[in-house]
Amino acid sequence: MPHKPFIRTLRAQWLGQQLRALREERGMTLKLVSEHLQRDMSALGRYERADWPIRKGDVTALLDLYGFHHAAERARLLSLAEEVWRTDRWDEDYGDVVDSSFIEYPWLEGRAERICSYNALLLPGLLQTPAYAEAVIRNAAEPGVPELTLERWVKLRMERQRVLDGPTRIGVVLEEGVLRRPVGGRSTMADQLRHLTQLSQRRKIAVRVLPSNVALHAGMDGTFTLFTLPAPYPEVAYLENLGGRLYLEAPKSQRFIDAYDRLVNAALGEAESAELIVMISEDMS
């Protein structure tokens, strides 16, 4: 009876990427590592690509070979090696296995074939102007954060927008209130809305507005983002609030997929949305 193929989970992909990054930082080839550990070179390649699940003992051997002795990070990667088969939620329930560096938001952005989001309060980062982004980042920052740090955060957000120049498709449903909230002042917001209008004209970007007269809808529980990743990886839902970050892998992401489809149906069409954005931008000017 043939063995069932390993499901290439995002945990496995993340672990494989970390191991590959460590190997490349040390300037080691797969051939060199395979000879040292007496492992088949093709097997090590499959570990890094997440085609095969890697054993905890092999992770230990690789970390030793790479001279990676940071205790907390070693523990995180070794714990993750025990979790590579899991496809359920990632959050603080897993302790040190899942922290803010486990699956980074930009990591998902850069790999997604499609990114869809419902936005109840602010425009998504991929669509923000530098001035709008700076206002949002300043508002969220802790008191006393150095100016250079704030500037770096804004720059990083702008660099993430390179995704818009690639093949990734973007779908956005915005509450009408997002357009009317004068983030950074009326002039900054007017510029932001003009920028949004330009982006919405791109073939791969679909912007829809949910009118304020829609009383109850599928997004009442708050903002979320959906990442559609290339096969065989699952669709991922992302949520963030004061309690922290939460990622839900398929099949638990399905409820957010369904909610997004319902929000699209409740929102204005793309043409009507564009007209409303232009009207509000003129009011802001």
Side-chain angles (χ1 to χ4, degrees):
M1 183 176 178
H3 293 290
K4 291 183 178 180
F6 171 64
I7 298 174
R8 288 185 283 180
T9 65
L10 286 179
R11 286 175 172 82
Q13 187 184 18
W14 179 248
L15 178 59
Q17 177 179 282
Q18 301 307 297
L19 294 175
R20 178 178 178 178
L22 285 172
R23 175 176 61 78
E24 292 178 343
E25 285 174 8
R26 276 33 174 201
M28 296 182 180
T29 63
L30 279 174
K31 184 175 185 296
L32 179 65
V33 174
S34 64
E35 289 175 352
H36 183 85
L37 296 182
Q38 297 183 336
R39 294 283 192 277
D40 183 77
M41 184 171 68
S42 62
L44 290 175
R46 292 188 180 99
Y47 291 155
E48 290 185 357
R49 296 191 304 271
D51 292 338
W52 286 357
I54 186 170
R55 295 179 300 177
K56 186 175 180 179
D58 285 334
V59 175
T60 300
L62 289 170
L63 294 179
D64 288 345
L65 176 61
Y66 301 151
F68 189 73
H69 302 303
H70 187 284
E73 288 297 301
R74 276 183 69 100
R76 183 174 69 90
L77 292 173
L78 290 171
S79 297
L80 184 56
E82 298 177 343
E83 302 270 338
V84 293
W85 55 272
R86 299 188 70 161
T87 61
D88 53 5
R89 59 185 280 170
W90 323 323
D91 60 8
E92 290 81 4
D93 290 346
Y94 301 138
D96 291 337
V97 176
V98 179
D99 57 21
S100 60
S101 66
F102 175 56
I103 296 288
E104 295 180 348
Y105 192 96
W107 187 79
L108 287 170
E109 274 183 341
R111 284 158 179 77
E113 294 180 337
R114 187 180 182 218
I115 303 171
C116 297
S117 63
Y118 162 66
N119 306 271
L121 299 173
L122 296 167
L123 284 160
L126 289 179
L127 307 185
Q128 293 176 5
T129 63
Y132 185 102
E134 180 182 349
V136 171
I137 288 171
R138 283 185 180 277
N139 180 72
E142 296 289 336
V145 173
E147 283 295 315
L148 287 177
T149 299
L150 292 171
E151 291 173 9
R152 181 169 59 87
W153 288 344
V154 173
K155 181 180 179 182
L156 288 172
R157 180 162 299 186
M158 294 301 103
E159 288 176 351
R160 283 168 44 197
Q161 294 182 1
R162 293 174 184 170
V163 170
L164 301 179
D165 298 323
T168 306
R169 291 174 292 132
I170 308 294
V172 177
V173 175
L174 303 168
E175 288 279 358
E176 183 178 339
V178 172
L179 306 176
R180 298 187 182 278
R181 179 169 290 109
V183 173
R186 296 180 67 85
S187 176
T188 292
M189 193 63 198
D191 289 341
Q192 171 64 75
L193 294 179
R194 285 190 286 270
H195 178 65
L196 181 62
T197 298
Q198 293 173 354
L199 290 176
S200 68
Q201 294 169 356
R202 297 191 187 185
R203 181 176 53 85
K204 294 178 300 182
I205 301 177
V207 178
R208 294 179 176 85
V209 178
L210 191 65
S212 56
N213 60 9
V214 177
L216 298 174
H217 52 73
M220 300 304 294
D221 291 325
T223 291
F224 61 87
T225 303
L226 291 167
F227 298 94
T228 301
L229 298 161
Y233 299 107
E235 291 181 295
V236 177
Y238 170 82
L239 302 85
E240 183 176 355
N241 55 40
L242 290 176
R245 302 173 179 179
L246 174 63
Y247 297 86
L248 291 166
E249 203 167 326
K252 293 188 178 181
S253 58
Q254 186 61 48
R255 61 178 295 192
F256 294 92
I257 297 169
D258 295 340
Y260 184 78
D261 289 341
R262 290 165 58 195
L263 285 163
V264 167
N265 291 332
L268 299 175
E270 291 182 57
E272 292 176 287
S273 297
E275 291 175 2
L276 180 57
I277 293 168
V278 170
M279 184 189 74
I280 296 174
S281 69
E282 290 174 350
D283 290 342
M284 287 281 181
S285 299

